Every structure is written in structure tokens, then in C-alpha cells.
Amino acid sequence: MKRSNRLAWMGAIALAAIVLLTLLVAPNNTKITTGSTYNRASDGYGAWYAFMQQKGISIKRWQKPFSDIQPENSPVTFLQVSAYPRETALNGQEREWVEKGNTLVILGAGARVTEAEFSTMQKSPQGDIKINTRRRYQKANSKQVDLGDRFGAVVWEKTYNQGKVIFSTTPYLAANAYQDYLSNFKYLASLVTENSNTVFVDEYIHGYKDADVRKKESEGNLSSFFAKTPLFPILLQVGILLLVLTWAQNRRFGKPVALDTPVTDNSEAYIQALAGVLQKADSTDFVVEMVGKQEQLQLQKALGLGQVLLERQALINFWKEKTDTSAAELDAVLKLQSHKQPISERELLSWLGKWRSIREIRNS
């Protein structure tokens, strides 16, 4: 292998490895819309948001970072539906905000998997709440638990000075999948409106951002978006590699390969040539004799009669005995081939069609 070809192969292998590693280690964002009020799928909260609006409850979508929440004249409730289990510990900013008298509701808090049944019905003042998770929080005391069983808490709360945080081990507490369980919708509504606060639903964590936020975070145009994704460096590397290969070889896909000359099938060519000669010579009697013998031998072989051509009537009798069917077509083809005289092309095709019918009966 020449050095230039070896370098090309090494470059292609390196590129494939880079792409494969990028695909394997790239973060999976397919669940980012889980819990979003814009999401109409089973894991979204579009139906619950519409339910809250129909009830006349003051609820708004928040499409800015948590740090942009400005102090209100009255406390507010901030609902976060996490696509992935998050820690129950608050960061400094969240804790400071809650301590001012606000309420933070986190659906999808981290908790260990227990031996509880996956699907359970939990009692509440709003009715039976359907819970589909084995995760239970076992560090909460009985006064903190709002929903749970002997395995631990499903929903619990923790007080921070004048405010509090409400946790849920399941992010699907009132998801679209539970539209047939109205008590689930009512229960979450009671959690977020317990203090008659204005309710904000965090859509920023699901990728929805106000125009000013996108501009501030340099996401206002397509080029900046690609510049911040793993796709851009991959495309850049591919472009550089193609330029190097083109410059080195002056061709993009390697050396030209000569096309193979198709090999002629001599047997097929002979048969076609012979057929043409026989057709021009009007020798249909020869075709009937040769083809008829072969067809009769194949039929006798299938009937277990050996390789010696039998008389017409003997073969017909065996046919009736073995197949229990009419021998009219067999009698007709045998008579025609015994005449040994030229026939028309139409008669030849009809004769061949009858042999085909006999083969189908024989093979059935």
C-alpha cells in the first residue's frame, strides 16, 4: 500500500472514531420536554396547565433563569418538573429565595427505589392519587409527609424560615397520562395554591426562553446555535480532512476503478441462437420432439416409472392411478408429439402451456 493511501485510510479511521465517540458521550436531550406545559405527549403537563386556567387560578409560564425572579409584593409559588431526578438539597440562591416566604415545588426529586408496588393509589383529601413509581423518600418524619405509605414518602415538604419546599419523587404527578384521574390534577393544584400565591411554572429548564433571554445568551441566530453544539466542531473537522485529501490526491474518493466486463453466459447464448435458427427454419416438429421427450422423462421420474419412455396409453393409465385426475391434457400433448409434423407457433405455445399445467398437477 502506498504511503498516500495509508495516510488516507488512517485519516478516515480517525474521523470515524471522533464521530463515534461524540455520539456515545454526547448528552441525551430527548427527555428535556418531560414535564413541560407546552408538551402534549403523555409525559407533558399541557392538560394540567389548561385545567388550572379553566379554574381561574393565576398561573404563568416562566421562561427565564431562576435568578431572574424578582421579589413580589406577595409570596409566589414556583413549580419545577424535573426531567431527571434532582437532589433534594437546595443551592444557596434557591434557599435564600424560599426563606423570604416563597414556595418551591419540585416534582422529580431523587429518592431510592424501594420494594413498593410500582403502581399504587395514595389517599388524599382530593381523592385517590395514582402513583407510578417505586421511589420513596425515607428521611422525612411523619409531620413532613403529605403523601406516602409504609415504604416512605412520595410527597413531603420541608420548611425554610418563612417559606417551604414541596418535593415529589415522581415527575408525573399530574402529567397528561393521568387525565382520567382528575384527583391527581386537583391534588397538584392544591399543593401550588395552598397559600393563594401566584404560580409560576418553570419552562426555562425545558429549553423555552424569552426573546431577551435568547439574545442575552447569544442564541438569537442559527450560526451561534451551531457554534454551541458538538455538531459544529465535527463538521469543521470533516471539512478540513476533505480539503487535505483533495489537495494530496486531487480526487475525493480515491483512485478510479475500472469497470468489470460482464462475462457472457455461453449456454444461454447457445440456446438463444439455436432457438432463432429453429424459428427461421420453421422446425417446430423438432422442438416438440425434443422438449416432449424431456417432459415425458421428467413426468415418468416423478411417477416412479424409470427413464425408459413408455407407450402413450401405459403412461396415461399410470397418471390416472397416481394422480386420480383427468388425463385429457396428457393425452393431448402425447398425441401431438407423436405426429412428428410441423405445427403453428400458436399451437406450439398451447402445447407448452399444457405441459406446464401437467407439471403443476404433478408437483401439487
Side-chain angles (χ1 to χ4, degrees), residues 276-287:
V277 172
L278 293 174
Q279 184 180 19
K280 290 181 179 180
D282 197 18
S283 301
T284 54
D285 54 337
F286 177 78
V287 175

Side-chain angles (χ1 to χ4, degrees), residues 44-49 107 170-179 184-186 188-189:
Y45 270 69
W48 179 80
Y49 189 81
L107 306 186
T170 172
Y172 309 114
L173 187 60
N176 296 332
Y178 298 95
Q179 293 183 60
N184 283 52
F185 281 30
K186 292 179 178 179
L188 180 57

Side-chain angles (χ1 to χ4, degrees), residues 328-330 332-333 336 347-361:
E329 284 193 336
L330 179 60
V333 296
L336 184 63
E347 289 175 323
L348 177 61
L349 293 175
S350 175
W351 179 77
L352 292 172
K354 290 177 181 178
W355 268 120
R356 183 168 59 250
S357 299
I358 292 170
R359 285 199 303 272
E360 291 175 354
I361 296 173

Side-chain angles (χ1 to χ4, degrees), residues 27-35 80-87 106-111 135 168-172 205-206:
N28 183 7
N29 293 327
T30 56
K31 291 183 63 179
I32 191 172
T33 59
T34 296
Q80 288 184 325
V81 184
S82 179
Y84 301 92
R86 61 154 286 176
E87 297 293 332
I106 299 174
L107 306 186
R135 295 185 182 276
S168 168
T169 60
T170 172
Y172 309 114
I205 61 174
H206 301 298

Side-chain angles (χ1 to χ4, degrees), residues 12-24:
I13 294 172
L15 176 63
I18 292 172
V19 174
L20 181 62
L21 287 173
T22 302
L23 293 175
L24 291 176

